[in-house]
Structures are given as structure tokens and as C-alpha cells.
Amino acid sequence: MIEIREAIINDLPEITSLFRNTILHINSKHYTENQIAVWASGADNEKKWTARITKNYFIVAEANNTIVGFAYLTQGNYLDGLFVHKDYQRQGIGAKLLRVIESQVIMAGFKEIKSDVSKTALPFFDDYYYEVEKKQMKHLKGEVFENYIIYRTL
């Protein structure tokens, strides 16, 4: 049984651990070792994660009191992150998080949702009728990442 709830600051260690481990184990299929190391190091910025949880619409998916996924919005309609635990992939958790996020965007009065997604995540969003606006190269700590700006009209 998966429950969705808003994140609280006490969730921070589980959220950052999930973020890091998902990148290390799932995204490593599409990115180099250096890219993965740089991307996963984003889990170390506790100040940034605290701000994400406290200032944005940030939800977690829980199974048996363990966080197995999370998603959050910035700017009302920008999906800034959606991650599912490496051991809980392909179980409908991402879809459930996405439905809740899209509902929040609609309730906030927006007609469209946007995101930047990795090569790894693109097929997931394609399954939910997201369109690619453009492929881009994103620079982070000396590494260049290929990713995609996607959107969906709600």
C-alpha cells in the first residue's frame, strides 16, 4: 500500500539518500561515471533540500513507513524532481506521484506542466503523453548533461 503525503523536514535524510541512490543505480545506464558522481553530489546540499521541502509543494510516497519516492513543484507548474527508489521501480509509484503533482498544478490554475528530464526518465514521461520541447545540454560542476525540456497541456 503506497501512501502519498506532503514532505516534512524530518524526511530530509531519507529523501537525499533516495535521490543519491536512484542516480547511482538507475541513471548510471545513461550517463558517465563522472556525470553520475557530480549529479549525485547534489544530495549533499542540505540547505538546498531544506528549502525545497519547506518552500515548494513537495510530496513523498511511503510504503511501510519508508519513503519510496518523491516529487516536487517549483513556480507552481514546474516539476523540478520526481524520483522513485531503485528497489521500487516499475510498480506505479512514479505514476501515482505524477497524478498528484498534475492535480496540484491544475488546482493552482495552470494549464501546462513543464520539466527538465534525464535520458533515463524520458520514456516514463513519454508514456504519460508529455511532449519534448527541446533537447538541451545542461552544465553542472564541469560536466555536460544531455536532457530534455518536456511539457504537457493539462
Side-chain angles (χ1 to χ4, degrees):
M1 178 76 180
I2 302 296
E3 290 186 37
I4 307 288
R5 64 168 175 81
E6 285 200 49
I8 57 172
I9 204 64
N10 289 347
D11 296 328
L12 183 65
E14 270 190 279
I15 288 168
T16 55
S17 175
L18 188 154
F19 174 81
R20 181 188 318 281
N21 287 328
T22 301
I23 292 166
L24 292 174
H25 293 94
I26 303 300
N27 297 96
S28 59
K29 296 174 196 133
H30 296 103
Y31 296 93
T32 69
E33 200 173 309
N34 283 349
Q35 288 171 320
I36 292 299
V38 164
W39 189 4
S41 75
D44 299 333
N45 192 336
E46 200 170 300
K47 205 176 208 178
K48 193 177 227 176
W49 284 99
T50 299
R52 285 174 177 156
I53 292 168
T54 57
K55 295 182 183 346
N56 299 304
Y57 181 72
F58 198 122
I59 57 174
V60 296
E62 265 187 338
N64 303 318
N65 296 317
T66 300
I67 294 175
V68 296
F70 68 83
Y72 63 100
L73 286 169
T74 58
Q75 303 163 25
N77 72 332
Y78 180 76
L79 176 59
D80 207 359
L82 190 156
F83 286 82
V84 175
H85 190 287
K86 67 180 179 65
D87 297 334
Y88 290 84
Q89 298 275 315
R90 306 203 189 302
Q91 295 180 27
I93 295 164
K96 198 173 221 183
L97 286 164
L98 188 60
R99 278 195 308 273
V100 173
I101 287 288
E102 287 175 347
S103 295
Q104 180 67 23
V105 170
I106 291 167
M107 289 188 304
F110 293 94
K111 305 265 188 263
E112 183 179 79
I113 184 170
K114 284 188 115 172
S115 189
D116 286 23
V117 301
S118 67
K119 289 190 269 187
T120 314
L122 189 60
F124 169 81
F125 286 97
D126 189 48
D127 287 347
Y128 293 94
Y129 309 104
Y130 280 72
E131 301 287 333
V132 174
E133 185 173 297
K134 73 175 183 174
K135 179 172 144 179
Q136 65 180 357
M137 302 311 248
K138 217 171 187 176
H139 298 263
L140 179 65
K141 297 180 184 175
E143 290 295 325
V144 180
F145 296 80
E146 179 184 309
N147 77 359
Y148 302 86
I149 298 175
I150 60 167
Y151 69 95
R152 180 172 175 222
T153 303
L154 300 172

